Amino acid sequence: MVNERMYGLGAEPSAIRELFAYGMVRKAEIGAENVFDFSIGNPSVPAPDAVKQAVLELMDEEPSALHGYTPAAGDPRVRQAVADHIRRRYDVPAQPEQVYLTAGAAAGLAISISAVTEPGDEVIIIAPFFPEYKVWIGTAGCTCVEVPAHVPDFQLDIDALAQAIGPKTAAIILNSPNNPVGAVYSRENLEAFAALLARKEEELGRKLYVISDEPYREITYGAEVPYVPCVWPRTIVCYSYSKSLSLPGERIGYLYVSDLMDDAREVSTAVAGAGRALGFICAPVLFQRVIARCIDEPSDVAAYAANRELLTTGLGELGYEFVEPQGAFYLWVRALEDDAQAFSDRAKAHELLLVPSDSFGVGGWVRVSYCVSREVIERSMPAFKALKESYEG
Ligand code: PLP
């Protein structure tokens, strides 16, 4: 007898991964150059040379120390390096005890949700959302409350959030820059949100935690990305090097329990407990050490900026409707029929792999992941044209 929910999750993989897997098969059948794979957020920009250099240098270190366990929360020197970086960059009093190294943002999110909720609590997410949030919220025994973003700017809808936050609310997950719409929450918007949270904490007599999912923090096209703990102190930041340094397969990131919250030590102790309970201890050690050496390495966003320009210009000329992205590397495009899955299926016939919006919590859109080579975008334009024409009879 297996666990029913786990069986369900295993048997029904995410729409993104399913399309990605289909793409791999299709590429083997007709040649990679004939498939326009916009399915997954695997960065096309190579990791910086500094990463390779750090790996090579580390190979000279004593192997049993290099590859051995670190404490559950990570190597103390690496936690110190991360805390120093946060302090330098955001001018907050970050202490290493508040930093927990994780296998990517995914582990950080699962740990954070478990750390600040009890089974039966509600966790609010903003639709459209990264689909895995629902899985992690469910695993913590909590109920997921979906609040639509404000349309058409996809900022936080303060009135809708005011309606949704109630006696059972434990946490709200934010993701800015956002996957899938590319929105970046403005300072003004975040300040209005923080004022709402302060009011609600008072009214409900309970603490409201923000879990700030930030794998795309560095990938912006000019917009300011306010540091959420400076706006709302009761914040846990889930950061990752998957996108900023193009290291998604190395599974390295951290969570930072803001020192600015009044229960910071209590929350970081619960984080340690959640890491232990979920088995997320001792993040991949080689890359903990690499990160410490590359902590101030800038992200290379030039290729994504060029892709964004190319794709938005091309699709705009063809008459597609989309949300102008301010960050991340996804374009949120209106499907040409109400049924996003049917539109995605029709796109497949033109070898275009576009993720239908349903698993992101809304109907009628597709996500186009543009962290691909420039050539893929250039060569895909006739397929986008043919897809559009197929709806024009
Ligand atoms: N959150 C969002 C919004 C993402 O898009 C992703 C990955 O694409 C993750 C979390 C997970 O990132 P990681 O690879 O760091 O676990």
Side-chain angles (χ1 to χ4, degrees), residues 103-106 109 130 133 175 179 213 215-216 240 242-243 251 330:
L109 287 156
F130 182 59
Y133 294 159
N175 171 224
N179 172 11
D213 178 22
Y216 302 97
S240 158
S242 292
K243 320 290 172 168
R251 313 307 302 132
Y330 306 103

Side-chain angles (χ1 to χ4, degrees), residues 24-346:
M24 285 175 66
V25 172
R26 195 67 186 136
K27 284 173 197 173
E29 281 169 1
I30 64 167
E33 68 287 2
N34 297 314
V35 181
F36 311 115
D37 185 354
F38 296 106
S39 64
I40 207 164
N42 227 350
S44 52
V45 169
D49 284 346
V51 167
K52 182 176 175 185
Q53 205 48 48
V55 172
L56 292 175
E57 284 168 17
L58 285 163
M59 285 300 122
D60 290 334
E61 297 207 352
E62 204 278 306
S64 59
L66 178 61
H67 301 298
Y69 287 123
T70 66
D75 182 326
R77 293 164 300 177
V78 182
R79 294 169 79 195
Q80 181 73 56
V82 171
D84 291 346
H85 171 83
I86 295 171
R87 220 175 21 249
R88 273 197 306 278
R89 181 135 177 225
Y90 306 109
D91 197 22
V92 293
Q95 297 299 317
E97 297 75 31
Q98 301 301 108
V99 173
Y100 189 105
L101 292 156
T102 57
L109 287 156
I111 290 173
S112 303
I113 295 165
S114 285
V116 298
T117 60
E118 292 287 352
D121 280 344
E122 293 177 353
V123 177
I124 293 178
I125 58 176
I126 312 298
F129 48 76
F130 182 59
E132 297 305 290
Y133 294 159
K134 288 179 81 164
V135 177
W136 299 321
I137 291 167
T139 301
C142 296
T143 304
C144 185
V145 175
E146 300 175 22
V147 175
H150 184 267
V151 176
D153 59 11
F154 290 89
Q155 295 282 301
L156 297 170
D157 187 332
I158 306 300
D159 292 340
L161 283 161
Q163 294 293 317
I165 296 171
K168 287 186 165 180
T169 308
I172 301 102
I173 301 180
L174 301 188
N175 171 224
S176 171
N178 179 267
N179 172 11
V181 297
V184 174
Y185 301 145
S186 70
R187 183 170 291 281
E188 192 190 6
N189 189 232
L190 285 170
E191 281 172 357
F193 174 59
L196 169 69
L197 292 182
R199 230 174 32 246
K200 287 285 184 181
E201 277 202 345
E202 184 85 28
E203 185 186 310
L204 300 167
R206 72 173 295 170
K207 292 178 163 56
L208 296 170
Y209 294 91
V210 167
I211 299 173
S212 185
D213 178 22
E214 306 196 353
Y216 302 97
R217 160 163 287 280
E218 328 297 342
I219 302 172
T220 62
Y221 310 106
E224 181 208 6
V225 186
Y227 199 52
V228 181
C230 296
V231 184
W232 181 249
R234 210 179 304 290
T235 294
I236 304 176
V237 174
C238 298
Y239 186 84
S240 158
Y241 296 92
S242 292
K243 320 290 172 168
S244 57
L245 293 185
S246 298
L247 296 172
E250 303 302 348
R251 313 307 302 132
I252 192 72
Y254 65 81
L255 68 76
Y256 167 55
V257 177
S258 166
D259 293 84
L260 300 171
M261 70 176 93
D262 53 14
D263 52 348
R265 291 290 184 268
E266 198 186 333
V267 174
S268 56
T269 304
V271 158
R276 180 181 175 192
L278 295 167
F280 288 134
I281 50 150
C282 178
V285 69
L286 176 60
F287 273 80
Q288 287 191 37
R289 307 277 298 279
V290 169
I291 287 313
R293 287 171 179 236
C294 300
I295 197 86
D296 291 319
E297 194 60 29
S299 303
D300 179 2
V301 297
Y304 303 136
N307 282 359
R308 167 182 176 268
E309 182 64 29
L310 193 64
L311 189 62
T312 54
T313 303
L315 294 192
E317 281 170 9
L318 291 172
Y320 282 93
E321 187 192 332
F322 53 81
V323 179
E324 194 79 38
Q326 297 172 283
F329 38 51
Y330 306 103
L331 191 68
W332 193 237
V333 179
R334 176 89 70 183
L336 297 175
E337 59 182 298
D338 292 344
D339 184 341
Q341 182 64 57
F343 178 66
S344 169
D345 289 343
R346 196 188 291 203

